[in-house]
Amino acid sequence: MNRRSVAIATGAVVAAGVGAVAVGVGTIFAGLLRDAFRAEQAVDDGPDELLSAPSAEPQRIAVTTVDGARLNVERYGPDADPDADIVVMVHGWTCNVAYWYPQINHLAETRPVVAYDQRGHGRSDLGRARPTIAMLGQDLDAVLAEVVPEGRRAVLVGHSMGGMTIMSWAAQNPEKVGTLVSGVALTSTAAKAVLQNHLLIPVDLPRYTKPFEATVGKLFTSTPMPIPHTPYGARLSHYIALGPNARRSHVEFVDEMIATCPPRSRAGWGSAMGKLDVTAGLDALTVPTTVIVGTDDRLTPPVHAEQMAEVLQRNGNLRELLVLDGVGHMSSIEAGVRFNEILDEILADTARTSSSVG
């Protein structure tokens, strides 16, 4: 066979391979869209007051990270009790400080609450360094150094990538956990293999699509394409991020947050999560830790919560594993009232513990 024949044959093989990938990936995306648009539409029962922007303006604190990026940190609420724990809330991928409005509106009248925009989200810089999971923990460390005075402690609440942030911080700073933190809530999150254990792929697809599922996961999380804010996009956001019976106000709120996340940031952090393994952080969480997940969470399904709870239980640091029925990935929005009750219980427990130690 001459060179020209070899080149033609090679080109044909490559073209066939590319075609097979296109068919496999296309079939998966088509199935996902089919299920999203067949699903029940969100319940239109009016606005949710918990999602309103807090009436009081926050104190804005600019925190500079180790590599020079500036993070937008917002502090709400009074600091009347110098012994009270400071609630520090860490949002997830494609979200921003507004994700925590239901909790800020509930807590900020009586205690200090801090929330910040993760790198590349909201008002925070992305910085020039390539996003990594270790960087998330380093950023949280910079925030804690700024907002938790000497002698005080924090209750850390993390959602999705925010939970990964807390575990990353604990893995890198195990000596600080017991002295700086009194309790942790890990919500709708995972310690490892997050892209290998999602439930986004429809189960009734042809067998030939199986080898392409990992490719779809990478395309979904790591492609820096703009996401337009449209009614069709909202249907997809509902299917992916919220439970089947979610309220329309919740779906629209979440869809707008996702659409406003810069594509470069979304892709950078999506790629970073593909290499997730912060199980060492679970071992370092030596304070009472609550794990929360929704039964209908497609992005970080209950198997992740169960795995984390098992490690924490083995180490004697699991406060409780809570599974919220009918709730999707955006648990603290979808089940805002119940989530706030859980936070109240956590804060009451930490206050009792601090009082008995004192």
Side-chain angles (χ1 to χ4, degrees):
M1 184 179 289
N2 58 33
R3 289 184 179 180
R4 185 170 180 274
S5 299
V6 170
I8 291 172
T10 301
V13 170
V14 170
V18 170
V21 171
V23 170
V25 169
T27 301
I28 293 173
F29 273 117
L32 196 156
L33 289 171
R34 176 205 65 196
D35 284 5
F37 285 92
R38 283 181 179 176
E40 289 289 330
Q41 294 199 41
V43 179
D44 188 1
D45 59 354
D48 182 352
E49 292 184 1
L50 282 175
L51 292 177
S52 301
S55 56
E57 279 293 313
Q59 175 191 359
R60 296 192 188 279
I61 306 165
V63 172
T64 302
T65 67
V66 292
D67 66 321
R70 289 171 64 85
L71 303 180
N72 172 57
V73 181
E74 300 184 6
R75 188 185 184 284
Y76 295 84
D79 201 7
D81 183 355
D83 297 321
D85 290 333
I86 299 167
V87 181
V88 178
M89 316 192 87
V90 194
H91 72 73
W93 183 53
T94 74
C95 298
N96 53 55
V97 163
Y99 177 83
W100 296 114
Y101 280 174
Q103 287 65 55
I104 293 169
N105 284 323
H106 175 67
L107 294 172
E109 288 188 7
T110 58
R111 65 165 58 243
V113 179
V114 172
Y116 69 97
D117 289 321
Q118 298 256 39
R119 275 179 188 253
H121 297 72
R123 299 169 183 253
S124 291
D125 298 340
L126 178 59
R128 295 185 178 182
R130 179 177 59 86
T132 66
I133 298 299
M135 184 186 291
L136 292 173
Q138 292 157 12
D139 288 352
L140 175 56
D141 194 53
V143 171
L144 294 176
E146 185 68 33
V147 304
V148 182
E150 187 176 353
R152 296 282 290 277
R153 294 202 294 176
V155 171
L156 303 181
V157 184
H159 170 257
S160 192
M161 192 174 78
M164 301 167 197
T165 300
I166 293 171
M167 287 181 274
S168 172
W169 171 80
Q172 296 176 75
N173 302 277
E175 76 286 353
K176 295 183 181 180
V177 174
T179 56
L180 198 57
V181 174
S182 56
V184 171
L186 300 175
T187 306
S188 305
T189 190
K192 64 179 180 179
V194 66
L195 293 186
Q196 291 74 34
N197 290 294
H198 62 75
L199 298 178
L200 293 177
I201 307 298
V203 296
D204 60 349
L205 296 179
R207 277 188 183 179
Y208 69 79
T209 63
K210 193 71 178 174
F212 307 108
E213 290 183 1
T215 301
V216 169
K218 290 178 182 178
L219 288 171
F220 174 75
T221 57
S222 306
T223 304
M225 292 287 290
I227 298 179
H229 183 46
T230 69
Y232 299 106
R235 293 290 297 272
L236 193 58
S237 293
H238 180 183
Y239 175 80
I240 291 171
L242 296 96
N245 300 310
R247 298 172 64 177
R248 181 174 175 180
S249 59
H250 294 171
V251 172
E252 292 177 347
F253 186 85
V254 167
D255 185 58
E256 184 172 356
M257 266 198 305
I258 294 171
T260 57
C261 181
R264 180 166 164 256
S265 175
R266 185 182 69 247
W269 287 115
S271 179
M273 286 190 291
K275 306 172 185 68
L276 177 72
D277 187 348
V278 287
T279 49
L282 285 174
D283 288 321
L285 287 177
T286 53
V287 295
T289 299
T290 304
V291 179
I292 306 165
V293 69
T295 57
D296 293 87
D297 188 337
R298 295 181 187 275
L299 291 172
T300 53
V303 63
H304 289 291
E306 292 162 2
Q307 290 169 350
M308 292 187 296
E310 182 180 350
V311 174
L312 292 163
Q313 180 72 55
R314 185 170 65 243
N315 294 339
N317 299 313
L318 178 67
R319 178 185 172 273
E320 193 171 8
L321 169 61
L322 295 168
V323 182
L324 306 180
D325 188 45
V327 172
H329 187 64
M330 300 298 185
S331 47
S332 48
I333 289 177
E334 297 176 70
V337 173
R338 174 63 184 128
F339 194 88
N340 289 343
E341 292 172 350
I342 293 167
L343 279 186
D344 287 342
E345 293 164 5
I346 292 171
L347 293 168
D349 283 355
T350 58
R352 280 193 293 269
T353 301
S354 298
S355 176
S356 63
V357 171

